Amino acid sequence: MSQFHLSRRSPDEEFPDLGRNYTWMGQILTPAMYRRQFHRCTHSGVIFDDVIRPGLEEPGHWSGPVSVGCVAGDPESYILFCDFFDRVIESHHGHKITSRTPESDFNHDNLKDFCFPTHCSRGERRQLLTLASKALQRLEEEEALPGRLLLLQDLSPEQQRELNLNSPSASQLRIGVARDWPDARAVWASTDGGLVVWINMEDHLRLVSTRDDANITEAFKRLYVNLQKLGGFYRELRHPFTWKQQLGWVSSSPADVGTGLRIRVHLKLQHLPQHNRLQDVLKRLRICMDTTESPALYAVSNTATFGLSEVALTQLVLDGVKLLIAMEMRLEGGGDIEELVPTQK
């Protein structure tokens, strides 16, 4: 990416208006911090104004978490702008970043990082698609997992709807991940439909493991096993997934660093969504609850991805779902849920 940008005035003149910004970025960014970051630029051309996104205020979930309001253009962003990103990550995930010194690494082969989708070029995006195609072909051939790779530009509107593919949202357009849509975007789906891999959407790769029988353990196992295999194939192709010692796995959104894992369970709830203690309960459980297109059907998921292991996050959601079901049954029978309200997780 080019490192040439529009002519800018002084940091004080360029400081964004945060008066109505309710994101973590809006709460954390100060003029002094902005001045410190103003003239910094990563090797791929990401400057601090590419990172902060004043227009990314988004409505909260039932539990009311604040949107992060910022994105990383490349892995180096988390290092160069660490005094900003570290505070955003700690605030959003509620977990302190350790101060361990990164291990020494002089292996030049590790300098093959791609920019994140928020900042990558058409050429990078197409190269990422080629890498994904090679790795997924090996997954099919060596692991006996049949599937097919579908390019978005070749799919009809009906086929896109069947795969739950939507047009880019306003937020995706603002942060740049939808540039040149649908060029080099694709989806790989296993023949049985249990595993789907999104390519060059909001992330370089996103694996989704689904089941209809509520067997989260098997869904987790399938995701983990195939992610490990794909990670191995990428390492052999000399493009390993990006991992930072203090943060774990990183992506364009600070909301997804650490594990990058989202566990989502759909629940039918009639009474609990109307209860005045719901938001407090969700906050204590560290989960959120979103509406879906179906009445009384809600998607329950973890609010944080950083600070806990993948197993611990999955167990946290499982425990939370069990408690929500118990509360719903108590309310259905005319009872009170006060004694079921948990302590803070």
Side-chain angles (χ1 to χ4, degrees):
M1 296 292 289
S2 171
Q3 295 192 24
F4 291 97
H5 298 272
L6 294 175
S7 176
R8 296 185 295 169
R9 309 289 293 183
S10 70
D12 290 339
E13 292 174 293
E14 295 289 346
F15 187 74
D17 180 6
L18 302 177
R20 296 179 60 83
N21 190 290
Y22 304 108
T23 67
W24 284 121
M25 183 276 289
Q27 295 183 31
I28 289 169
L29 184 62
T30 64
M33 181 183 290
Y34 185 74
R35 284 194 292 271
R36 289 196 300 272
Q37 313 290 343
F38 189 71
H39 295 292
R40 296 177 180 176
C41 179
T42 71
H43 286 85
S44 60
V46 178
I47 62 174
F48 193 55
D49 278 344
D50 296 325
V51 166
I52 57 173
R53 299 285 177 164
L56 284 185
E57 304 93 49
E58 297 178 355
H61 304 278
W62 280 85
S63 55
V66 181
S67 170
V68 291
C70 55
V71 294
D74 57 14
E76 188 185 353
S77 298
Y78 285 106
I79 299 173
L80 191 63
F81 310 119
C82 64
D83 54 341
F84 168 75
F85 272 121
D86 285 0
R87 291 192 61 189
V88 170
I89 291 168
E90 289 175 347
S91 298
H92 181 79
H93 296 278
H95 185 82
K96 189 73 174 176
I97 295 175
T98 63
S99 57
R100 292 176 298 171
T101 303
E103 296 177 358
S104 176
D105 184 3
F106 288 96
N107 184 354
H108 61 84
D109 287 334
N110 290 338
L111 297 176
K112 295 181 177 292
D113 284 344
F114 289 95
C115 289
F116 291 136
T118 51
H119 197 69
C120 71
S121 66
R122 281 186 291 271
E124 283 185 303
R125 197 180 300 115
R126 291 166 182 168
Q127 189 176 357
L128 284 161
L129 176 59
T130 299
L131 283 172
S133 177
K134 291 178 180 178
L136 288 165
Q137 184 176 359
R138 289 189 59 181
L139 190 68
E140 293 181 32
E141 296 173 351
E142 299 180 20
E143 306 301 333
L145 184 63
R148 56 177 181 161
L149 182 67
L150 305 169
L151 299 178
L152 262 63
Q153 60 192 24
D154 295 338
L155 299 178
S156 67
E158 293 76 17
Q159 290 174 311
Q160 293 188 32
R161 282 194 292 270
E162 290 176 3
L163 292 168
N164 294 320
L165 289 169
N166 300 315
S167 299
S169 66
S171 173
Q172 290 174 320
L173 291 169
R174 284 198 299 270
I175 64 177
V177 299
R179 282 194 304 273
D180 309 303
W181 191 274
D183 183 77
R185 273 75 174 194
V187 57
W188 180 92
S190 63
T191 302
D192 62 7
L195 183 68
V196 173
V197 181
W198 304 99
I199 304 166
N200 287 332
M201 306 293 191
E202 291 188 62
D203 299 296
H204 293 157
L205 284 182
R206 176 175 293 182
L207 277 68
V208 181
S209 175
T210 59
R211 291 185 70 93
D212 296 327
D213 59 0
N215 192 331
I216 296 180
T217 299
E218 287 301 315
F220 178 89
K221 181 179 178 181
R222 186 171 206 185
L223 180 72
Y224 172 78
V225 168
N226 288 291
L227 181 60
Q228 292 294 105
K229 292 173 181 175
L230 281 175
F233 297 151
Y234 269 79
R235 284 193 298 273
E236 292 177 20
L237 292 168
R238 301 174 74 176
H239 288 283
F241 297 156
T242 305
W243 186 87
K244 302 296 182 185
Q245 184 170 352
Q246 295 178 353
L247 299 177
W249 304 109
V250 294
S251 68
S252 59
S253 175
D256 295 326
V257 302
T259 63
L261 180 64
R262 296 286 175 187
I263 305 97
R264 183 169 287 108
V265 179
H266 287 89
L267 289 179
K268 287 187 177 180
L269 301 170
Q270 295 281 351
H271 307 282
L272 189 56
Q274 316 304 324
H275 200 279
N276 59 10
R277 290 297 303 273
L278 176 61
Q279 291 191 25
D280 179 46
V281 168
L282 294 174
K283 184 177 180 180
R284 290 167 181 251
L285 293 173
R286 299 180 66 185
I287 58 178
C288 57
M289 196 170 85
D290 293 316
T291 57
T292 67
E293 295 180 356
S294 301
L297 185 65
Y298 296 87
V300 178
S301 60
N302 50 304
T303 57
T305 61
F306 179 72
L308 294 174
S309 70
E310 290 83 354
V311 169
L313 280 173
T314 304
Q315 191 62 55
L316 181 144
V317 174
L318 281 172
D319 293 342
V321 165
K322 290 178 182 177
L323 183 58
L324 295 181
I325 293 174
M327 288 181 166
E328 174 72 11
M329 294 177 65
R330 179 72 63 87
L331 292 172
E332 186 176 357
D336 185 74
I337 65 171
E338 195 63 33
E339 66 181 38
L340 296 178
V341 175
T343 57
Q344 180 68 48
K345 286 282 188 179

